Amino acid sequence: MTDSNKKQSFREGFEAHLESPIPILTRLGTFIFGKKLPDTYTKISFYFGIAIWTIFLVWIILGYMVLTNTSWIEAEKGLDVHQLISDRGTALGFTGDAFQNKLITFYNLAIVAWAGMFIGLALQWRKHLYFIYFIWISGAVYLFGMWILLGFSYWYNDTTLFDKIAFFFLIGHSSLHYYFLRKELLGEKVNFFGIDDSDEDEE
């Protein structure tokens, strides 16, 4: 093949690569999650975690968009969002625009916290034992950030029961998975219910 043909072939391949996002997404997925598939229990744990992560992240982004576009919403929909937020803030003990400003600060903090959660979930998929520290620290930043900025009353009254259950389920189940993964990496045979002593029973 001549140099001209090589250049032409490379150009065609490069253009085809740019036309489709699939190769880029595939490489990105491999970079984040690795090439090796984990065991079934790890997959199930990850799928539960990523579902909860997606729900929380969507609500956080939507909330942030509403808070930072109150004027546009009022102009387009005729809904006085700013007043509604202010009234709720007053009921929670805030004055003026303090509640809205702290909500915006919290949503910025929450985005960072749930980015950390995603790192933890990716490490969980790859079965790295320190995944749990990203889950615990990110969860603590999210929860304590809410309590400190908005108050415990906001968490208790303004977050749904589903949010509370989903959040603590993610933390609790991740901790359970950490327990099993730690035993596995220590060389102990484990299953969902704990130590698998089937080999001893067969002897």
Side-chain angles (χ1 to χ4, degrees):
M1 182 181 291
T2 65
D3 290 342
S4 177
N5 290 336
K6 288 181 180 179
K7 290 180 180 178
Q8 180 66 23
S9 176
F10 174 80
R11 187 181 299 109
E12 291 175 354
F14 183 69
E15 290 175 352
H17 181 80
L18 293 178
E19 289 175 359
S20 174
I22 294 177
I24 297 175
L25 294 175
T26 300
R27 289 184 181 181
L28 181 61
T30 301
F31 174 76
I32 295 174
F33 299 108
K35 295 180 180 180
K36 186 177 178 180
L37 292 177
D39 56 87
T40 302
Y41 176 57
T42 299
K43 288 181 182 178
I44 293 172
S45 298
F46 172 81
Y47 293 145
F48 271 119
I50 205 68
I52 294 171
W53 178 85
T54 302
I55 292 169
F56 272 85
L57 189 65
V58 167
W59 278 113
I60 290 166
I61 292 174
L62 288 176
Y64 183 83
M65 291 175 63
V66 169
L67 287 171
T68 55
N69 292 279
T70 54
S71 298
W72 179 84
I73 295 173
E74 290 167 11
E76 292 293 323
K77 304 297 182 181
L79 183 64
D80 194 349
V81 178
H82 185 271
Q83 188 59 48
L84 291 172
I85 296 171
S86 180
D87 290 344
R88 185 57 192 152
T90 300
L92 291 170
F94 294 91
T95 58
D97 292 333
F99 181 59
Q100 182 170 343
N101 293 334
K102 288 197 173 185
L103 268 175
I104 293 173
T105 302
F106 167 69
Y107 279 127
N108 281 305
L109 182 67
I111 290 172
V112 173
W114 285 89
M117 281 281 193
F118 180 79
I119 294 173
L121 290 170
L123 291 173
Q124 182 185 41
W125 176 272
R126 299 181 72 146
K127 301 185 72 170
H128 290 295
L129 196 61
Y130 50 88
F131 85 92
I132 195 62
Y133 299 113
F134 284 90
I135 300 293
W136 284 343
I137 293 172
S138 298
V141 168
Y142 175 77
L143 188 60
F144 286 106
M146 184 188 298
W147 289 350
I148 293 169
L149 289 169
L150 306 174
F152 183 81
S153 181
Y154 174 85
W155 175 80
Y156 186 79
N157 295 299
D158 289 49
T159 61
T160 66
L161 180 61
F162 173 81
D163 288 342
K164 296 180 181 72
I165 292 174
F167 177 80
F168 286 111
F169 176 83
L170 175 59
I171 301 299
H173 190 265
S174 296
S175 300
L176 182 65
H177 187 264
Y178 166 77
Y179 169 78
F180 289 140
L181 179 58
R182 184 172 179 274
K183 286 189 173 294
E184 179 184 332
L185 295 179
L186 288 173
E188 299 179 24
K189 191 173 182 181
V190 297
N191 59 28
F192 181 80
F193 300 100
I195 302 297
D196 187 346
D197 57 358
S198 57
D199 291 339
E200 296 179 4
D201 293 339
E202 291 175 359
E203 294 180 358

